[in-house]
Amino acid sequence: MDAADLDYRARARSGCIPPELVSRLLERGHVDVVELQAGRGEWFCALAWARLLGEQGRQGDALEVLAPYLVTGWWTAVVAAAELLEGWERVDEAIEITRVRMEAGHPMALEFYTRLLARHGRSEEAFTLLRPHIGELSLAVALVDVAAAADGDGEAAALLAARAEHRCSDFPWCCRGLDRGTAIGLLATIHERQGRIDEAIVLLRTRDAISVNGQDQLADLLARHGRTGELRACAATEELGYAGQRLAELLEERGDAEGAIAVYRQTGDSSLRRVSMTVQLAWLLARHGRGNEAIDVMRVQADARKGDDWVLHALSDLCLDQGRPEVGLAHLDALAAARGGEEEWDLYWIRLPLIAARDGVDEAIAQARSHPEGATSYAAPHIAELLAGAGRTEEAVTVLEQHASANSHDLAGYLIDLGRVEDALAVLQRRTSRPPELSHGTWHDDPPF
């Protein structure tokens, strides 16, 4: 067993039994298969089997299952063993195996180790270990998380305030981790925790970027503290629509559905915001028994953004949810006609569930197969899903077997459903090209990553 090979297969989900299919094996009663494969280098089987043994009170046996993986030094196995030990209240052992990897210099061990310490009454020790690493993003976040219990909010705030004053001259390489905007966000988190809400709000308004990774910390803070007036002001100017969404969610939670609808109707001039708010509006209307109105709203948006597949998906899902597949099909047909009757598969397949709902599975399959791309490897899973959904799993397998290498997980799942476990394993355990070697050197955050 080799750490590089284990890591490659676990990340790529290649040449192994992925976790969702391990769960499927267990659900179908194939516990013996999972146990056997756990001893043959199948990491996700080993993890599932160890958890089952732990639940049965067989903690020693569970650790024996993981032992060959731990011997390789693979960090994922170390984390899994530590989490199991912590769950069994064997905290000192969990801390010890993590400490060894931290002292060996593993780049991810310090964060896990310090969070583990903090969860078990050793927050001050964790804070001391993290303090020198304030410039590293994940460790700065961990420092803020443990600071309160360590009575270190003041010191953490001072460290972050210094970072917040810095403006990068060559972003993103200047700060190499904790940039000014993130430092401001973390400092605001501390202020909020200290009850200094107004200071946190003022601070967040100084950030260059409002929304980060689909989240808006200022909008979330205002919503948590019921500051609807300020949240409404943010929603009126914010271009991505997140503040408007938080305001609408807050109003709906308070029973003011009409107020939430009004917020979503104020789409503004930003195209991104318009689409996001319209989709949210449609589902809000549907939740409150106004399905026909919801569909009309989405049709207008789909007309305005012709060919945007995610908008068409939203319209189709809404039509299915409301039991009106013919409306979704009419829109897709009109779109196809406007393009001369030709439609690539990535848009065409959206209609298949609608056809199945209106005309039956056989008609949907017939139309799928009549498409110029209907016999391709990427069309096969959609056809197989229709067949399997109609209880015709054998036929689904036949379709996927024609493109087994490209659809190994889907094929193996249906084979497991049919009880053909050995065939499923043969499909999954085909090895691909040799994985790259893991680096055992020091951690770098200089480009190239």
Side-chain angles (χ1 to χ4, degrees):
M1 207 174 289
D2 173 79
D5 181 56
L6 287 168
D7 191 67
Y8 172 80
R9 287 192 286 138
R11 285 186 294 106
R13 301 293 200 266
S14 174
C16 70
I17 308 172
E20 64 274 13
L21 293 185
V22 174
S23 297
R24 205 149 167 173
L25 285 166
L26 293 172
E27 289 165 5
R28 302 295 187 271
H30 300 292
V31 179
D32 56 333
V33 174
V34 173
E35 178 184 4
L36 180 64
Q37 295 297 320
R40 294 183 173 179
E42 286 288 352
W43 165 247
F44 296 113
C45 286
L47 182 58
W49 181 233
R51 286 171 175 164
L52 281 175
L53 290 172
E55 290 168 5
Q56 296 169 8
R58 299 167 58 187
Q59 297 173 6
D61 292 337
L63 292 176
E64 283 186 22
V65 170
L66 297 183
Y69 301 87
L70 285 167
V71 167
T72 69
W74 186 35
W75 175 243
T76 299
V78 174
V79 169
E83 289 175 342
L84 284 175
L85 287 164
E86 184 183 16
W88 300 334
E89 298 184 356
R90 295 166 61 172
V91 176
D92 289 342
E93 294 172 73
I95 290 172
E96 178 61 19
I97 67 168
T98 312
R99 181 191 63 78
V100 170
R101 293 299 291 148
M102 181 193 68
E103 293 180 351
H106 193 282
M108 298 173 67
L110 179 58
E111 180 184 357
F112 186 90
Y113 178 69
T114 51
R115 288 186 180 279
L116 182 58
L117 290 177
R119 286 197 297 273
H120 296 282
R122 296 168 63 178
S123 296
E124 292 182 9
E125 183 181 348
F127 187 85
T128 300
L129 287 168
L130 288 166
R131 186 168 45 203
H133 302 278
I134 187 64
E136 299 172 45
L137 177 57
S138 65
L139 298 180
V141 173
L143 179 75
V144 170
D145 289 344
V146 307
D151 196 25
D153 271 349
E155 186 174 355
L159 292 169
L160 289 165
R163 303 287 302 192
E165 291 296 320
H166 172 71
R167 288 189 177 273
C168 292
S169 58
D170 184 23
F171 182 81
W173 313 125
C174 176
C175 291
R176 302 173 182 269
L178 185 65
D179 62 277
R180 176 179 178 273
T182 305
I184 288 173
L186 292 172
L187 182 55
T189 296
I190 293 176
H191 286 344
E192 183 185 6
R193 192 161 64 204
Q194 294 173 322
R196 298 158 61 185
I197 309 303
D198 289 334
E199 290 177 64
I201 291 171
V202 169
L203 192 60
L204 287 172
R205 292 188 190 281
T206 68
R207 289 211 300 192
D208 297 326
I210 302 299
S211 296
V212 179
N213 295 329
Q215 299 293 309
D216 184 331
Q217 187 177 351
L218 176 58
D220 288 335
L221 185 151
L222 293 171
R224 278 194 298 274
H225 295 279
R227 312 275 282 255
T228 53
E230 292 164 276
L231 186 54
R232 194 177 295 278
C234 286
T237 58
E238 192 257 314
E239 292 187 352
L240 299 180
Y242 188 78
Q245 181 181 338
R246 290 296 290 119
L247 174 60
E249 289 170 348
L250 182 62
L251 292 171
E252 187 182 10
E253 287 168 8
R254 293 177 173 180
D256 185 5
E258 289 302 322
I261 289 169
V263 169
Y264 281 136
R265 291 195 187 280
Q266 297 167 4
T267 56
D269 297 327
S270 165
S271 61
L272 284 174
R273 171 176 168 158
R274 189 179 305 116
V275 176
S276 173
M277 298 282 269
T278 300
V279 172
Q280 295 294 334
L281 170 60
W283 285 109
L284 173 61
L285 289 167
R287 283 196 299 275
H288 291 273
R290 296 162 64 174
N292 291 340
E293 188 178 349
I295 290 173
D296 289 341
V297 164
M298 277 307 306
R299 288 173 69 187
V300 170
Q301 189 58 236
D303 277 333
R305 298 182 68 90
K306 297 184 186 299
D308 278 14
D309 58 350
W310 76 277
V311 176
L312 294 174
H313 275 294
L315 172 61
S316 299
D317 289 344
L318 189 60
C319 289
L320 282 172
D321 181 72
Q322 296 298 311
R324 297 187 61 193
E326 70 284 352
V327 176
L329 284 169
H331 188 91
L332 291 169
D333 288 342
L335 180 62
R339 295 178 169 182
E342 296 183 3
E343 204 166 38
E344 294 183 356
W345 184 263
D346 61 351
L347 286 180
Y348 184 84
W349 77 266
I350 298 173
R351 71 182 60 241
L352 298 181
L354 297 167
I355 297 170
R358 187 188 68 179
D359 304 320
V361 170
D362 285 333
E363 180 62 23
I365 292 169
Q367 291 202 30
R369 286 175 168 158
S370 69
H371 189 275
E373 297 170 80
T376 60
S377 61
Y378 48 85
H382 300 121
I383 297 172
E385 185 177 5
L386 290 170
L387 289 164
R392 295 155 63 178
T393 309
E394 290 278 8
E395 293 177 65
V397 165
T398 300
V399 169
L400 290 170
E401 282 178 331
Q402 299 172 49
H403 311 279
S405 61
N407 297 293
S408 58
H409 290 187
D410 289 329
L411 174 57
Y414 293 134
L415 288 169
I416 290 170
D417 292 342
L418 292 171
R420 295 169 56 184
V421 175
E422 291 301 320
D423 291 339
L425 296 182
V427 168
L428 292 169
Q429 293 173 333
R430 292 172 186 154
R431 292 302 182 97
T432 55
S433 59
R434 184 177 177 179
E437 293 295 322
L438 281 177
S439 169
H440 297 288
T442 56
W443 180 256
H444 299 280
D445 51 11
D446 294 314
F449 297 105

